[in-house]
Amino acid sequence: MSMEKGQLSRARGRPGGPAPLLLQTVHEHRPEAGAVSVLKARGTVDATNAVEFSETLAEHIAHADRAGEHAVLDMTEVYLACAAAVRAVDRATGVLAFSGRALPVVQPRPHVREALRAAGLPGVRVHATMASALNSLQARRRAGPRPGGTA
């Protein structure tokens, strides 16, 4: 497993305020899923950094597509502080939803899982564990494209 980039977001944490947002991309090869690119997010997504989070997530998805990797979002340590944060996820995953795909999102905290479920985002599939997310990728990889476009 190799880490490609780890960066603090430009949003600054206020003393006693929300945790700053940290976004880190990890590229790995998993026997069950092949090449995987995991965006690990930690901290609070709020109105001050929701656009940045959305743009970073969209870039992550686009880069994974170009590299032939499966994109995954790890939200284990994220707090979505407002509706703008949920909209940020929706904006970033819109291209996937448009093509009938979804981004595996791993182990969001209960309030995050409920916010995503209530929003009904078509480009997101929530998984309780990384293993579950990788298994979904394995199933998708096995199904693969159908020859001649027939079902």
Side-chain angles (χ1 to χ4, degrees), residues 3-150:
M3 290 196 201
E4 184 177 271
K5 97 179 169 185
Q7 67 185 38
L8 274 174
S9 77
R10 289 181 294 278
R12 301 285 180 244
R14 295 183 301 279
L21 181 63
L22 175 68
L23 300 168
Q24 180 180 48
T25 302
V26 178
H27 299 277
E28 50 192 50
H29 188 83
R30 297 289 190 109
E32 68 273 33
V36 178
S37 180
V38 180
L39 181 62
K40 295 184 177 207
R42 184 182 331 153
T44 301
V45 180
D46 58 21
T48 66
N49 61 18
V51 170
E52 178 189 354
F53 177 68
S54 180
E55 289 172 353
T56 301
L57 180 55
E59 287 170 16
H60 172 75
I61 292 166
H63 180 270
D65 274 353
R66 286 191 305 272
E69 299 173 325
H70 295 291
V72 176
L73 174 60
D74 183 344
M75 294 186 80
T76 308
E77 300 180 54
V78 172
Y79 180 77
L80 297 179
C82 60
V86 175
R87 286 193 302 274
V89 176
D90 190 29
R91 272 194 311 275
T93 58
V95 67
L96 293 174
F98 185 74
S99 64
R101 298 183 296 153
L103 177 71
V105 176
V106 177
Q107 205 174 8
R109 294 174 177 180
H111 89 279
V112 174
R113 186 175 54 246
E114 288 310 312
L116 293 175
R117 187 171 291 140
L121 308 183
V124 170
R125 290 291 174 277
V126 175
H127 295 272
T129 64
M130 183 63 77
S132 169
L134 294 173
N135 287 339
S136 77
L137 294 173
Q138 179 184 27
R140 195 170 77 200
R141 193 170 84 159
R142 268 198 315 261
R146 301 191 187 273
T150 56

